[in-house]
Structures are given as structure tokens and as C-alpha cells.
Amino acid sequence: MTTPAPPLVEGISTLHGVDWEQFKTIEAALAHLGKGVKLSYFNGVLEIMSPIGPRHEDVKSTLGLLLEAYMREKGIRFYVCGGFTLESPKTASGTPDESYAIGTRKKIPDIVIEVIITSGRLHKTEIYRPKQVPEVWFWKKGQITLFHLEEQGYVQRERSVFFPDLELLMLQRYLDLADQYDAVSEFVEAIRRGDQ
């Protein structure tokens, strides 16, 4: 009889000096854990985050529902791309918590979302730069920030180029509501009233 493995404690482990082949070996070895472990790799640095807990999933889901409600109310065509791995072989690999293509389906999403519960050392924007992801959104410590890709790299902006009328503080206000259903319903009402 085998002894069950102890439960993973939420946290981040950072490994330095990991080449691409070593990263791919570690990734394959941890694949059986599914979404319980998230890997991010950039230029020899590997971060292993485990596990993804209920707070993380709640924020990710609610933020996604709010953004989707906004796009539907505004008649903005969008495609949910999900959390698939974006890789630039030998350099970078990252899996956003959610992602969206705006206007048409695309191989590279226009917006990726990262929910940060436990901070690591990697600059997550750099993971997505080789793939030229236009915007990276973060939720960290109860606050939404977004970075838009410009010629010199990612620059923090107050508003999305895809949603120039959407105030992040307004979005955050509804994300902070305790009940997800009420948050989305009240957000839709506010959009219809023109409260943004």
C-alpha cells in the first residue's frame, strides 16, 4: 500500500540556471498534476506555482465574467481563448489564467490575464513579449493593472486600448463584491446606465 502524497502548500518555487530541455523535462514530469501546478519560464528561470486555490479561481472566473458581460453589452466581438500555454521555444513559456481575442479568432490572444495570489520573481510581461501579446492584465492584492505592448516593451496604462471607455476602478469595484452573480448583474446595470 502506498502512502498518499501530502497536499501541496500554495507557494512559488524559483529555479535558476534551468535550460530549455530541463524545463521541458520538469514540465512533463509535473503534467499529471494538471491545473494544480502552473509553470512559468523565461531565459533560464523557472517558477513553479502550486497549487491554484479557490481564491485564485474565484477572482479569475469573476473577472472573466465581468469582461465578457462588458464586451457583450458594448457589442464587441470576442473569443475566449482560455488558459493555453504560449511558448517561444528556448526562451519563454507561460500559461495565462484567461485570454481573449478581440474582433476575430487569432493564434495569439489580444489580452491575457494573470491572477497573482503569491508573487514570484519573474516579470510575467516578459514571458508574453516574444509572442507580441498586445495586453497583459494582472490582478494582484485586490487591484487590477494592465500593461500594453509598445515599441520599448510593456507600459502600464490606465485603460485598455481595446476598451477605452472602461475604467479599471469601476471593474474592480464589481470584482470586489462578495457574490459573483450579483457582481455581474449589477455591473451590467451600471453599463446600461452609462456609469463608466
Side-chain angles (χ1 to χ4, degrees):
M1 184 171 178
T2 60
T3 305
L8 294 169
V9 177
E10 186 174 311
I12 291 185
S13 297
T14 304
L15 304 174
H16 297 271
V18 178
D19 67 30
W20 185 256
E21 288 72 26
Q22 291 169 321
F23 161 63
K24 296 309 279 181
T25 300
I26 293 168
E27 181 181 54
L30 296 177
H32 72 282
L33 297 175
K35 290 194 173 190
V37 173
K38 187 174 175 182
L39 304 179
S40 298
Y41 178 87
F42 183 70
N43 281 342
V45 179
L46 171 62
E47 282 189 351
I48 304 169
M49 183 178 80
S50 64
I52 296 173
R55 177 69 176 139
H56 178 277
E57 293 300 288
D58 182 56
V59 171
K60 176 194 86 146
S61 298
T62 304
L63 180 54
L65 288 169
L66 290 169
L67 273 179
E68 290 165 30
Y70 180 83
M71 290 184 279
R72 282 190 181 93
E73 286 298 313
K74 294 294 187 176
I76 299 169
R77 184 175 289 274
F78 69 95
Y79 297 87
V80 179
C81 303
F84 70 97
T85 301
L86 292 163
E87 276 191 351
S88 297
K90 308 288 184 190
T91 304
S93 177
T95 306
D97 292 306
E98 191 59 88
S99 60
Y100 296 93
I102 309 300
T104 61
R105 289 189 182 277
K106 301 173 180 107
K107 288 185 179 179
I108 303 299
D110 293 303
I111 296 170
V112 299
I113 296 172
E114 288 276 354
V115 174
I116 311 288
I117 300 292
T118 306
S119 293
R121 293 194 176 110
L122 279 179
H123 293 285
K124 296 279 187 160
T125 52
E126 292 307 309
I127 292 171
Y128 300 115
R129 188 173 180 181
K131 287 292 192 184
Q132 300 290 291
V133 174
E135 282 189 0
V136 181
W137 292 41
F138 293 98
W139 178 91
K140 182 178 176 182
K141 296 182 180 177
Q143 192 171 28
I144 301 169
T145 54
L146 74 83
F147 294 82
H148 184 77
L149 184 60
E150 297 183 5
E151 196 172 309
Q152 69 272 28
Y154 285 98
V155 176
Q156 187 170 348
R157 298 188 84 160
E158 294 297 317
R159 294 181 188 233
S160 168
V161 298
F162 300 103
F163 320 125
D165 296 332
L166 178 61
E167 293 181 14
L168 293 183
L169 288 176
M170 178 190 180
L171 185 62
Q172 183 65 59
R173 194 166 46 247
Y174 291 96
L175 184 57
D176 289 341
L177 294 181
D179 186 272
Q180 187 181 74
Y181 184 88
D182 290 343
V184 175
S185 297
E186 291 177 26
F187 183 56
V188 168
E189 289 175 17
I191 293 168
R192 290 176 180 169
R193 287 192 309 265
D195 289 355
Q196 64 225 310

